[in-house]
């Protein structure tokens, strides 16, 4: 019988971190890269509220990373 291990905590340097925290940090990094690219190609002028778009991208990336990269 094969059992799949699902981590409940991620251990880095002796410290335990919840998977959602790690997903959130990775999402912030991905959002930062995406916003820089959008600013470079000047798409930010089409958004009414760029901070709201940044928050939305962070939430979307957190859900995607939490679901597919770091399953909890």
């Amino acid at each position: 019988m094969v059992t799949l291990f699902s981590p409940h905590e991620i251990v880095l340097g002796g410290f335990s971190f919840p998977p959602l925290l790690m997903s959130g940090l990775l999402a912030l990094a991905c959002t930062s890269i995406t916003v820089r690219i959008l600013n470079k190609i000047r798409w930010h002028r089409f958004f009414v509220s760029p901070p709201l778009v940044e928050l939305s991208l962070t939430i979307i990336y957190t859900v995607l990373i939490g679901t597919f990269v770091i399953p909890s």
Side-chain angles (χ1 to χ4, degrees):
M1 176 176 218
V2 177
T3 59
L4 298 176
F5 176 74
S6 178
H8 295 282
E9 293 180 343
I10 298 171
V11 179
L12 293 174
F15 295 103
S16 298
F17 298 102
L20 186 60
L21 176 65
M22 299 307 289
S23 298
L25 292 176
L26 285 173
L28 282 174
C30 291
T31 301
S32 176
I33 293 168
T34 304
V35 167
R36 286 183 186 191
I37 291 171
L38 289 176
N39 285 338
K40 185 167 278 211
I41 60 175
R42 299 179 49 89
W43 278 30
H44 63 278
R45 61 186 169 170
F46 297 115
F47 300 128
V48 174
S49 178
L52 186 60
V53 172
E54 189 173 345
L55 176 65
S56 301
L57 282 173
T58 304
I59 293 169
I60 291 168
Y61 280 136
T62 301
V63 170
L64 290 175
I65 291 170
T67 303
F68 297 112
V69 178
I70 305 175
S72 56

